[in-house]
Amino acid sequence: MKPNAAATAAALHYTIVPKDLAGHIFEVTLQIAAPAADGQVVSLPAWIPGSYLVRDFARHIVQIRASSGGKKLALKKLDKHSWQAAPCRAELTLTYQVYAWDLSVRAAHLDASHAFFNGSSVFLRAHGQEDQAHVLEILRPANVAGKSWRVATSLPELKAKRYGFGSYVAADYDELIDHPVECGDFLLATFEAHGVPHDFVINGKVPNLDIDRIVADLKPICEAQIALFEPRTKTAPMQRYVFMTMVVGDGYGGLEHRASTALICNRNDLPLTHQSEMSDGYRSFLGLCSHEYFHTWNVKRIKPAVFVDYDLRLENYTSLLWVFEGFTSYYDDLMLVRSGVIDEAAYFKLLAKTINTVTRGSGRFKQTVAESSFDAWTKYYRQDENSPNAIVSYYTKGSLVALALDLLLRTESAGKKSLDDVMRALWQKYGRDFYTRSTARQGLGEHEIAALIQGATGVDVARFLAKYVYGTADVPLAQLYAGFGMALDGAQASKASLGVKASRDAGDCKLAYVYEGRAAHLAGLSAQDVLIAINGLRVTAADVADGLHSAVGRYRIGETVELHAFRRDELLVVRAKLQADDMPALSFTVLEQAALLRPSWKKTTRR
């Protein structure tokens, strides 16, 4: 909802212009009509919601100056991301330049091809005035290419026309920084999902891109998610939604916002007009879109209590990311099959891949998924070569916890309840009125989930959570699936393995990960060692490309091989006894059509 005229007149006014495309510089002007009497304090966030790492965005401010009444005003730096202007009676103007060369979904990026920014990277917060209306003027760059540029954002227009440069408005600072902006000569396609317009925006070169296929696939995915949370009214929580996608040669990621998402993907993952089959890359891209769209409900409106009012200066700790990222990771692929975009065989292939990924790392026996959530700031977002041996992902194991809960709830309630009922209960209690209610906003408490699940389904899951969320046991998927006409099978390993993950480094074979208890580890090799030969045969780039399977596959399980490797500039010669390949190879056998895939317990006939 747009602020009223009176609020807009008293608003904070921002102007942003792509000033130097080759130098990657945005210039931002902030005008504060009524600055604090004792000197206005301003700051830039240290992190962006949805990406749990302190990034210190203020380090990209190149210059900043203050003025009032046309005269320069003193500006004191208080800490790494805060400033205080000298007291003044007239309007305070802050002008600053931001270096934007982060090709990701988290910050800002500017060159001759496009301009992209998250508000948390470029808009100073005026302390004490966060609840006022914030007006943003987006100016066109002063270059020839910029004449064909358009603007893509879910931020409500004030005087700007849709997709045009001009003024936009936010009710408060939180809303201002929750609508990223993409400017450029982008491709645009629009579809409706239950009456709500959705834009799909793509920037980057993709010859023969089948954009019509993308929107045709996204439409049922979005409609399935809207119907999940509001099965009776099919009402979406936003008036308009924007998918904004940056295409690169090698990249993958997304970041959720209240009415949009910023995505980055590999060019080769997108569908082409002359290809009818669905590639693995395109299936993953649709899963990414589904994941970020699900966050419209689960994270942007249903939140942990500590996220209701973010403190963007420092870490905000919660042990519940397994609910917010894990549950979302479960539903992202599930929505692909429920909407009919992929078939059941493809879904179970994706699910088996997740299970195999989780069971590969021994870190799952050392860190609970609740601890993984809490430690996101220091461990998950700061991974190193030992991470597979030390941590578990709240995304992937969290998704398996969600799957197991869904199976358990369906079993214990004789098919009357499921995890869908839990999501709707969370939505009704915390999310539906999050941005509209007049009373104080609420979020899920750190220890409320068990009671909420029992209230929504009648099933007591306290022991389940104690064992699999607050403990390190593997979720018993094979046991839970037994009653659903499905079997989870594991192939016997027949290939020899060193127990490493290798990467190519300037033609060398560098050991990225050395899994503990495996052959290389027991022989004394470490991550970052450069493996140069196995039994006197050079390790080649082709060997690295196939994960060393060919090079090691020449030998039998239990056979001892001699390894030559460099650690720094010192040659190591060690002997390793090869073990069976430790990469899990679980797969599903569907004995009958699985009820889990459907919103209801009853089987349905596939059309």
Side-chain angles (χ1 to χ4, degrees):
M1 181 181 296
K2 293 183 181 180
N4 58 38
T8 304
L12 282 73
H13 286 255
Y14 296 79
T15 302
I16 186 168
V17 58
K19 191 72 172 180
D20 182 351
L21 277 61
H24 322 301
I25 298 293
F26 284 106
E27 184 168 270
V28 185
T29 302
L30 168 58
Q31 296 168 285
I32 305 174
D38 57 349
Q40 180 66 55
V41 175
V42 296
S43 66
L44 204 62
W47 62 282
I48 183 171
S51 184
Y52 307 111
L53 179 67
V54 170
R55 300 182 187 277
D56 293 329
F57 294 122
R59 64 195 171 95
H60 295 303
I61 293 181
V62 179
Q63 288 183 317
I64 182 170
R65 62 183 185 274
S67 63
S68 180
K71 296 182 179 180
K72 184 178 179 180
L73 199 65
L75 190 64
K76 178 182 179 182
K77 192 163 188 178
L78 302 178
D79 53 40
K80 61 182 178 179
H81 47 225
S82 303
W83 294 261
Q84 184 173 25
C88 60
R89 296 183 179 181
E91 179 180 86
L92 171 64
T93 299
L94 295 165
T95 303
Y96 54 100
Q97 290 79 42
V98 180
Y99 180 68
W101 196 234
D102 183 344
L103 189 58
S104 75
V105 298
R106 300 178 298 265
H109 188 265
L110 174 65
D111 63 14
S113 69
H114 84 134
F116 170 79
F117 59 85
N118 285 288
S120 50
S121 294
V122 295
F123 299 135
L124 290 169
R125 173 171 69 99
H127 291 219
Q129 306 201 41
E130 296 90 344
D131 293 335
Q132 291 191 40
H134 289 56
V135 172
L136 171 62
E137 185 86 16
I138 305 173
L139 300 184
R140 188 185 302 274
N143 72 324
V144 176
K147 293 181 179 179
S148 64
W149 282 17
R150 295 182 288 176
V151 175
T153 182
S154 53
L155 194 64
E157 300 92 355
L158 184 60
K159 295 182 180 179
K161 294 181 179 180
R162 183 66 50 86
Y163 314 122
F165 290 88
S167 59
Y168 293 78
V169 63
D172 51 33
Y173 182 78
D174 181 62
E175 183 179 9
L176 176 72
I177 65 171
D178 207 10
H179 295 274
V181 175
E182 171 72 34
C183 304
D185 192 10
F186 49 73
L187 290 178
L188 169 68
T190 300
F191 65 94
E192 285 195 356
H194 290 310
V196 175
H198 289 60
D199 289 340
F200 181 80
V201 172
I202 190 161
N203 206 318
K205 296 179 181 180
V206 187
N208 297 314
L209 173 68
D210 193 348
I211 196 170
D212 292 337
R213 180 179 180 182
I214 296 175
V215 298
D217 289 336
L218 286 177
K219 177 181 173 68
I221 295 170
C222 295
E223 289 184 336
Q225 295 193 21
I226 293 170
L228 168 66
F229 288 96
E230 296 287 357
R232 185 177 63 85
T233 65
K234 310 292 193 298
T235 302
M238 64 288 184
Q239 296 179 340
R240 177 171 163 260
Y241 193 88
V242 182
F243 292 92
M244 52 189 75
T245 305
M246 182 67 193
V247 180
V248 295
D250 184 19
Y252 179 86
L255 191 62
E256 70 275 1
H257 298 275
R258 68 178 69 183
S260 64
T261 180
L263 307 167
I264 188 167
C265 75
N266 189 316
R267 181 175 294 105
N268 294 329
D269 289 346
L270 298 178
L272 305 179
T273 53
H274 56 280
Q275 295 177 341
S276 58
E277 72 279 0
M278 179 176 286
S279 67
D280 290 343
Y282 181 47
R283 189 180 296 112
S284 295
F285 176 72
L286 290 176
L288 175 65
C289 293
S290 178
H291 183 100
E292 302 307 332
Y293 193 73
F294 199 85
H295 276 318
T296 308
W297 293 268
N298 195 35
V299 160
K300 296 313 300 183
R301 289 164 175 84
I302 308 166
K303 296 175 181 278
V306 297
F307 284 1
V308 169
D309 292 307
Y310 294 112
D311 186 342
L312 295 175
R313 299 170 300 174
L314 41 81
E315 296 93 337
N316 292 204
Y317 292 100
T318 176
S319 62
L320 292 173
L321 292 181
W322 63 273
V323 174
F324 293 93
E325 292 293 353
F327 282 24
T328 300
S329 296
Y330 168 58
Y331 273 102
D332 56 23
D333 287 338
L334 186 59
M335 285 298 163
L336 300 188
V337 69
R338 280 191 183 177
S339 63
V341 173
I342 66 173
D343 61 21
E344 293 171 7
Y347 171 73
F348 285 114
K349 182 179 178 182
L350 291 171
L351 186 55
K353 182 179 179 181
T354 300
I355 297 170
N356 290 329
T357 298
V358 172
T359 54
R360 175 74 185 272
S362 61
R364 72 189 195 281
F365 297 127
K366 301 169 186 174
Q367 184 188 52
T368 71
V369 76
E371 291 170 340
S372 174
S373 301
F374 196 87
D375 292 339
W377 302 89
T378 56
K379 291 188 177 182
Y380 187 80
Y381 271 86
R382 293 184 181 274
Q383 292 192 34
D384 58 27
E385 64 280 352
N386 192 50
S387 292
N389 302 322
I391 69 172
V392 68
S393 167
Y394 53 80
Y395 283 90
T396 51
K397 186 178 179 182
S399 73
L400 299 186
V401 168
L403 167 61
L405 276 171
D406 203 355
L407 293 169
L408 178 66
L409 296 175
R410 291 172 184 269
T411 300
E412 293 295 316
S413 67
K416 296 178 182 178
K417 297 293 181 180
S418 72
L419 195 64
D420 291 1
D421 296 284
V422 175
M423 297 312 303
R424 284 190 284 269
L426 285 165
W427 174 243
Q428 291 162 13
K429 183 173 183 179
Y430 299 111
R432 181 181 281 160
D433 302 319
F434 188 82
Y435 289 119
T436 60
R437 63 168 55 130
S438 57
T439 56
R441 296 170 177 172
Q442 300 180 53
L444 179 66
E446 293 296 299
H447 303 288
E448 293 178 1
I449 188 64
L452 185 137
I453 293 174
Q454 185 167 10
T457 66
V459 179
D460 185 353
V461 298
R463 291 178 64 186
F464 174 94
L465 298 182
K467 191 171 185 178
Y468 305 113
V469 171
Y470 303 106
T472 59
D474 285 334
V475 290
L477 293 176
Q479 174 186 338
L480 289 168
Y481 259 126
F484 289 82
M486 302 199 59
L488 188 58
D489 304 314
Q492 185 71 31
S494 59
K495 295 181 179 180
S497 170
L498 282 172
V500 300
K501 182 176 181 180
S503 63
R504 187 174 178 180
D505 182 29
D508 291 330
C509 174
K510 179 174 283 190
L511 302 184
Y513 299 128
V514 173
Y515 297 101
E516 69 176 0
R518 308 301 299 171
H521 172 225
L522 296 177
L525 293 185
S526 302
Q528 309 302 321
D529 289 347
V530 174
L531 182 63
I532 58 175
I534 301 174
N535 270 359
L537 293 177
R538 181 185 174 189
V539 177
T540 67
D543 293 325
V544 178
D546 82 343
L548 299 181
H549 294 303
S550 297
V552 180
R554 301 185 181 104
Y555 307 99
R556 297 184 300 274
I557 297 171
E559 192 170 353
T560 299
V561 295
E562 186 176 70
L563 306 176
H564 285 71
F566 275 109
R567 179 171 300 166
R568 298 180 297 275
D569 57 351
E570 298 177 4
L571 181 65
L572 301 177
V573 182
V574 300
R575 296 177 64 80
K577 184 177 182 180
L578 298 178
Q579 300 176 355
D581 190 352
D582 62 328
M583 184 60 191
L586 297 172
S587 61
F588 286 94
T589 300
V590 183
L591 305 177
E592 58 179 288
Q593 190 178 24
L596 175 66
L597 299 181
R598 308 302 182 194
S600 132
W601 172 265
K602 297 179 180 178
K603 296 178 185 178
T604 60
T605 301
R606 187 191 300 175
R607 294 178 292 177

